[in-house]
Amino acid sequence: MAEGRDVQWVEVTEGQVGQRVDNFLLTRMKGAPRALIYRIVRKGEVRVNKKRVKADTRLALGDLVRIPPLRLTPREAVREVSDNLRNLLAGSVLVEGRDWLVINKPSGLAVHGGSGVKIGLIEALRQVREDLDFLELVHRLDRDTSGCLLLAKSRPALLALNESLKQHHMDKQYLALVAGRWPARRDFVSARLDRFELGNGERRVRVDTAGKVARTRFAVRETFDKVTLIEAEPVTGRTHQIRVHAAHAGHPLLGDDKYGSRESQRLAAGLGVSRLFLHAASLTFPEPTSGRPVQIKAPLPDDLEAALSRARHSR
């Protein structure tokens, strides 16, 4: 981000009402990492109506926000969006409404920066879509998962969509290729999930009776010789839920380097699956303003289609 010569005073508009100060600053200060945002707020360099605030302070219509000039070192700065990523994201918008949009998220792109990730999808989109004063994730996808990802372009839309998610009025359907023959009669997995950290700080999830309630519906879409294409619908939204539930059922996802087995990795190599075979294929939600149902579908990426083709020919 280029250094600003003067302090800026920015007035909060209707679309930013209720937004947290830290998120407001992230949209205005392109390239600034969250750690730096928190630091300048804590030091009192950011003011609202000339008063000190906290990072989670909610903004009101007409508030005047003081934004200090910044000089970011290369180490601090969020990476600028490359031309390749800019073009990829521009071509990944599936459908865009007045106050929301659905992206076909590429595999390998984290939804947000942090933990060594210099730039995530949300930071990149904020750079690409400079026409938007507000842009927030409604839900998340694992870094290696591709497919439908919903974002809100206004605070009211975010609140409405979050409520739809909370009330289970949002349906998410995933496609996954798993090891072995998934039994058609097994259409539901309910197993509590607990998050923990490995010695190196990596986060994992395991089935544990002390964990949080987690439920996933499963349906067989296509059966092959040694693998099965399944449809998964998470009833709850726990981290890595589909992956851990499938592994718990004895059928880990192909390409899963966290919860896979030797057999699933062998099968993945044989079919040319070089990444997690998990794709958010469709998303249905009530439109924030009208309440009418909206259904968005994301086609299966070419690399996953190629793997299915190999599986069909190996029958």
Side-chain angles (χ1 to χ4, degrees), residues 57-86:
T57 298
R58 302 284 180 178
L59 296 171
L61 184 65
D63 279 348
L64 287 177
V65 183
R66 178 190 190 274
I67 302 179
L70 287 182
R71 181 193 295 275
L72 300 182
T73 66
R75 185 175 180 179
E76 287 181 314
V78 170
R79 183 177 302 158
E80 289 293 320
V81 177
S82 66
D83 289 340
N84 285 342
L85 180 54
R86 184 179 294 272

Side-chain angles (χ1 to χ4, degrees), residues 1 8 10 16 24-30 67 133:
M1 186 180 91
Q8 298 180 55
V10 180
Q16 299 156 338
F24 176 85
L25 294 172
L26 284 166
T27 61
R28 302 290 308 188
M29 304 168 74
K30 308 295 185 181
I67 302 179
D133 291 328

Side-chain angles (χ1 to χ4, degrees), residues 5-148:
R5 295 186 177 182
D6 302 305
V7 169
Q8 298 180 55
W9 287 91
V10 180
E11 185 174 352
V12 175
T13 62
E14 184 175 348
Q16 299 156 338
V17 170
Q19 191 173 22
R20 286 169 48 129
V21 166
D22 54 354
N23 289 328
F24 176 85
L25 294 172
L26 284 166
T27 61
R28 302 290 308 188
M29 304 168 74
K30 308 295 185 181
R34 281 188 179 272
L36 181 59
I37 295 294
Y38 294 147
R39 186 164 75 240
I40 62 175
V41 172
R42 188 171 58 249
K43 290 171 65 177
E45 295 180 43
V46 175
R47 303 285 179 113
V48 176
N49 301 327
K50 299 184 179 181
K51 297 179 181 179
R52 294 179 72 123
V53 292
K54 295 182 178 180
D56 61 356
T57 298
R58 302 284 180 178
L59 296 171
L61 184 65
D63 279 348
L64 287 177
V65 183
R66 178 190 190 274
I67 302 179
L70 287 182
R71 181 193 295 275
L72 300 182
T73 66
R75 185 175 180 179
E76 287 181 314
V78 170
R79 183 177 302 158
E80 289 293 320
V81 177
S82 66
D83 289 340
N84 285 342
L85 180 54
R86 184 179 294 272
N87 293 334
L88 178 63
L89 291 177
S92 295
V93 176
L94 291 169
V95 181
E96 183 166 358
R98 187 186 69 177
D99 49 9
W100 55 268
L101 63 88
V102 178
I103 289 282
N104 186 4
K105 188 189 87 65
S107 173
L109 179 63
V111 293
H112 59 79
S115 301
V117 178
K118 275 289 187 180
I119 189 167
L121 180 141
I122 185 64
E123 292 88 4
L125 272 179
R126 284 171 178 158
Q127 290 186 42
V128 172
R129 294 297 302 271
E130 293 183 312
D131 58 309
L132 301 178
D133 291 328
F134 184 102
L135 190 62
E136 294 290 341
L137 295 162
V138 175
H139 63 105
R140 299 180 180 184
L141 293 178
D142 292 346
R143 180 173 185 168
D144 295 326
T145 303
S146 56
C148 295

Side-chain angles (χ1 to χ4, degrees), residues 107 144 176-179 227 229 252-257 263-278 300 302-311:
S107 173
D144 295 326
L177 193 63
V178 301
V227 297
L229 180 66
L253 273 63
L254 267 60
D256 194 338
D257 60 0
E263 177 64 7
S264 67
Q265 297 293 11
R266 186 186 67 79
L267 291 168
L271 292 175
V273 177
S274 57
R275 58 97 159 178
L276 180 69
F277 199 123
L278 183 61
L300 203 62
D302 291 343
D303 59 334
L304 301 187
E305 278 287 7
L308 286 182
S309 180
R310 295 185 195 102

Side-chain angles (χ1 to χ4, degrees), residues 270-290:
L271 292 175
V273 177
S274 57
R275 58 97 159 178
L276 180 69
F277 199 123
L278 183 61
H279 180 69
S282 72
L283 178 66
T284 304
F285 59 92
E287 208 280 332
T289 304
S290 68

